[in-house]
Structures are given as structure tokens and as C-alpha cells.
Amino acid sequence: MPVLRSAPKTRALAPEKIPLAVRDLVARAPIDDIHTHLYTPSFGPLLLWGIDELLVYHYLVAEGFRHHRLPPEKFWAMSKTEQADLLWKHLFLEHSPISESCRGVLTCLHALGLDVRKRDLAALRAHFSKWTLDRYLDKVLEISGVERLVMTNNPFDDLERPVWLRGGTRDARFEAALRLDDILMTWEKAVPRLREWGFDVGLDCSRRTLDETRRFLHEWIMRMKPLYLAVSLPPTFAFPDLKTPGSDTLRNHLLVEAILPECREHNLPFAMMIGVKKLVNPSLRLAGDSVGRADPGVVERLCAAYPDNKFLVTMLSRENQHEICIVARKFANLHVFGCWWFLNNPSIIEEMTRERFELLGLSVTPQHSDARVLDQLLYKWRHFRAILTDVLTDKYADLARTGWAVTEDDLRRDVRDLFGGAFRRFLE
Ligand code: FIX
Ligand code: ZN
């Protein structure tokens, strides 16, 4: 007989006490950041940190072009310091830095206790020069409250691959995710490299190619011990793709006959980040990607066709958010996460978080940082904690109005779920 009665072990919070309790618990809760582009220091230059990296983050690069109007080739010919100087001038000194990515830089500096009133970039640089990376890493994780984070790891990356082959030292705070964009999005370029590494693959979807691709995946899963496999997909991604034979059909075969079986064998979710239109403006380089509305039916059909696979999904278009919540209501093997990239702005984060709680309760991971620069953990999480506090306070006030006893233990358990607990259970 299921337990149908479990009176709360601790006293209910008086309704007027709920806001303070929520604010305090959300502010202090440790975070499991399930998608970042950060690396342990053993990956060397791949781990970006410090004021200049913050300023030349591709979000600010894109915004900067709208002000300085330099020809892209002139901008890219500059040193990183010169680029940072230019962006500081145009985005901070000549215009108030009210965009989310500019505000984020200032939140990082404020979290570090730095005084930005003088708007003195040279003085700020002098501060960062005093840190060693290892000490700074500990400091940023301590202040941001990030306890663990998941990297984005790509065996096709020429800087990253040798570190894994050397058996790079593990830091328990950094976990891996095996990224498959090269296989699923540029197979024709992946083939010669896989063959160079001893995998007998071809441009076709022969049994040999699919088996050898699985062998490659197996080898890197054993090496990296990833929490999940992942890919970023265009809004046009189709499944099953019967209407446009060619690369998409090949992509479907690689997914269905190599990647998903390998995920099942290792009980690993497959993460699909859907909706990126790559390089709509190539001259902006990493800042040149855009967004397109995708078909959540793709996720429905994959979840239905592969019930023994687990899918992590985040979609890039605001217009897809309500739809993917409905898909998640239909399929328990789907876990929705994050306010990704162009959605990571307060007005949209609040809308998405309310929508998700109303439709999915606490069975969702509402945010990830996507940090590319270590320091960004400071702002991406401080900004999100503030929004989550407001939304959760409203939700618990709604419960209290029904007579439901909201206890501090409930709040602590729920916040732990939202900051990684639900994700970890989904991995089990
Ligand atoms: O595909 C991804 O993981 C995206 O998050 C990145 O490609 C993107 O550049 C980014 O960092 C967005 O925040
Ligand atoms: Zn990312």
C-alpha cells in the first residue's frame, strides 16, 4: 500500500516567513552546473578567465560591432587586449552597460569586491594580474556556489584531444560531456580524421561505418566517463528524415544505429541543443550564430521511438519553450534544461521558469550557465538565483494560500532538486 500520509517533520513556515526562507535557501544552495564550456586547468589555454576574456566574450563582441562599426577583419586583427579596450570604451564608457552580457561583466567584478566606480580598466587588469589560476578557480567556485560543473568535451578538438590521450588529471569538480557535433554535423570532415585514428569508417552508412563509429564512441566514453553525450542541432533537424535524403538521412543513421545504442549500453542521456543557425554572419566568427524555431515533434518522435533512451533537451527559440514543456509532460525519458544563450536574459528566464514550474513542477533543471569564461559563473548564477527566488516565493505563497504546510525541509529539498538533484536522478 503506497504511503498516503506523511505529516511534515518540521513546522510549517508562517506565510509571511516564506519569502525570507526562500531567499536565504536559494542564495546559499550549492549548484550543479550541467552545461559549460569550462575546463580544468590541466587543459591549459582552453580554460579562459580574467577581465579581458570577460570583455571579449562573443556576446559582447556581437554587441560591440553595433557601436564601433570597425570592419570585422580590422577587429580580428587586434590583440585581445586591444579588442577588450575597444569594447570597454564603446559598451561601458560611451553607453551605459545595460545589456545582460555587459551587466554580467559588472556583476562578476562586484562579486569579486572590485570597485567599478572609477571605470578604470587598467586598475581592474592590475587586480587580475595578482591571481594564480588555481587560487582564482577556487575563489570563483566558492563565491558562485558552483559545487560541480559539466564541461563540453570534443575528441576532435586539437588542443583538447592530446590532454585526454595523456590521461589529463581529473578534478572531481569538473565532469565531462562527450560532444558529437563533428560526427552529426560535419561527417564528411570527421571521416578522414576517424580513419587517421584507426577507425574504418566511410561516407556511407554501411554496417562497418556504423560499427566503427560505435567503437569510437565506446573508446571515448570509457576514456572521458561523460555524464551525457551531446550535440547542437539546427532548427531544421528532422527525425525521421525521409523527405530530404542525403546528409540528414546519414545523420539519422548515425544517431539511431551508433549513438543511441551506445547511450543505452552505458545508460547515458543524449543531450540535444536544438535551434542554432550556425554562422549567419561568418565575419563575426563565434558571435555569428543565430536562432531559428525548430520542430519539437522531432523530440516527441525520438522519445516515443526510443523509450529506453534518455534525452536531455534545451531549445534555443523562445517560441519553442511552451511546446517542449508539453512534450516533457508526455515522455518521462525527456528532461528539459536551461535558459540557453539568447534566452539567458531576465525577462525570458522568468517567463520560462514560471511556465516550466506550472507545467512540469520540479522535474526540470531550470538553468545552466553555458559559461565560456570561468568568471562568468559569478554573474550567470547570481542573476538566476534572484529570478528563481521571486518565482519560487510566488509558487510557495500559492501553496500556503491553499492551507498546504510549506516547511523549510520542503524548500531545501526542492531547491536542491532544481540545482542539479533532478538531473542526477535522471542520470540514474
Ligand atoms: O553549442 C553550444 O554549446 C552553445 O552553447 C555554444 O556554441 C554557444 O557559443 C554559447 O556559448 C552560448 O552560450
Ligand atoms: Zn554551450
Side-chain angles (χ1 to χ4, degrees), residues 408-427:
E408 198 153 329
D409 284 352
D410 293 341
L411 301 188
R412 191 172 291 106
R413 172 204 59 204
D414 297 347
V415 170
R416 196 168 50 242
D417 267 356
L418 293 172
F419 279 155
F423 166 71
R424 294 286 165 172
R425 273 202 305 282
F426 187 68
L427 295 181

Side-chain angles (χ1 to χ4, degrees), residues 180-197:
L180 302 175
D181 295 40
D182 291 83
I183 287 183
L184 282 171
M185 299 307 295
T186 53
W187 178 248
E188 65 289 344
K189 290 185 192 149
V191 165
R193 307 194 71 190
L194 289 165
R195 295 189 62 79
E196 179 195 323
W197 300 332

Side-chain angles (χ1 to χ4, degrees), residues 17-267:
K17 296 270 192 229
I18 290 175
L20 190 62
V22 173
R23 195 190 69 189
D24 183 44
L25 279 166
V26 171
R28 290 187 293 114
I31 286 172
D32 210 338
D33 192 343
I34 75 168
H35 171 60
T36 77
H37 298 271
L38 301 177
Y39 298 86
T40 62
S42 59
F43 286 93
L46 283 172
L47 175 56
L48 306 176
W49 65 288
I51 183 67
D52 286 321
E53 292 297 352
L54 281 172
L55 288 170
V56 300
Y57 179 42
H58 66 78
Y59 291 27
L60 284 90
V61 168
E63 292 171 33
F65 274 107
R66 304 183 54 74
H67 289 288
H68 57 64
R69 312 297 292 272
L70 281 185
E73 60 280 3
K74 205 161 165 22
F75 178 81
W76 297 118
M78 288 176 159
S79 70
K80 200 165 274 189
T81 305
E82 289 165 336
Q83 291 172 6
D85 289 344
L86 184 76
L87 294 169
W88 179 256
K89 172 176 178 289
H90 285 278
L91 296 178
F92 291 80
L93 302 185
E94 292 185 358
H95 304 276
S96 295
I98 63 167
S99 75
E100 184 60 6
S101 44
C102 289
R103 173 173 84 112
V105 172
L106 298 182
T107 299
C108 292
L109 300 173
H110 186 258
L112 291 163
L114 299 182
D115 180 357
V116 292
R117 266 178 307 210
K118 297 191 185 71
R119 305 183 182 182
D120 181 346
L121 183 52
L124 293 168
R125 281 183 174 130
H127 169 81
F128 280 89
S129 65
K130 294 178 202 145
W131 286 98
T132 63
L133 175 53
D134 287 328
R135 277 185 51 239
Y136 190 64
L137 168 59
D138 293 344
K139 184 78 179 168
V140 168
L141 294 180
E142 180 201 341
I143 298 173
S144 63
V146 172
E147 204 169 49
R148 284 185 291 192
L149 60 87
V150 186
M151 302 181 282
T152 296
N153 302 107
N154 182 1
F156 290 82
D157 181 300
D158 290 333
L159 282 178
E160 181 173 358
R161 189 174 59 258
V163 180
W164 287 105
L165 294 177
R166 277 199 306 271
T169 49
R170 297 299 294 242
D171 176 332
R173 300 169 296 183
F174 288 70
E175 295 180 278
L178 173 53
R179 193 63 184 253
L180 302 175
D181 295 40
D182 291 83
I183 287 183
L184 282 171
M185 299 307 295
T186 53
W187 178 248
E188 65 289 344
K189 290 185 192 149
V191 165
R193 307 194 71 190
L194 289 165
R195 295 189 62 79
E196 179 195 323
W197 300 332
F199 297 93
D200 181 19
V201 297
L203 286 170
D204 59 352
C205 314
S206 68
R207 186 73 261 149
R208 180 75 179 152
T209 287
L210 295 167
D211 290 345
E212 282 292 89
T213 303
R214 273 200 72 171
R215 186 167 70 84
F216 169 80
L217 295 174
H218 184 86
E219 183 176 301
W220 279 92
I221 287 169
M222 301 313 286
R223 180 172 290 125
M224 285 183 177
K225 303 279 187 291
L227 293 187
Y228 55 83
L229 278 56
V231 67
S232 163
L233 293 164
T236 53
F237 173 59
F239 182 84
D241 184 67
L242 308 176
K243 58 184 183 303
T244 52
S247 61
D248 273 324
T249 306
L250 173 65
R251 185 180 301 143
N252 276 206
H253 278 288
L254 288 166
L255 176 60
V256 164
E257 297 179 65
I259 295 167
L260 293 186
E262 207 53 32
C263 285
R264 288 195 297 272
E265 182 179 323
H266 299 274
N267 185 32

Side-chain angles (χ1 to χ4, degrees), residues 383-401:
H383 292 184
F384 180 71
R385 287 181 197 266
I387 297 165
L388 181 64
T389 297
D390 292 346
V391 176
L392 276 183
T393 298
D394 287 352
K395 293 299 161 195
Y396 290 121
D398 289 346
L399 291 185
R401 274 191 284 276

Side-chain angles (χ1 to χ4, degrees), residues 321-345:
Q321 299 310 319
H322 180 256
E323 296 161 309
I324 196 64
C325 285
I326 305 307
V327 178
R329 285 170 62 88
K330 306 305 156 196
F331 296 100
N333 59 330
L334 168 60
H335 188 82
V336 172
F337 74 96
C339 299
W340 183 27
W341 200 342
F342 305 117
L343 300 168
N344 194 22
N345 301 312

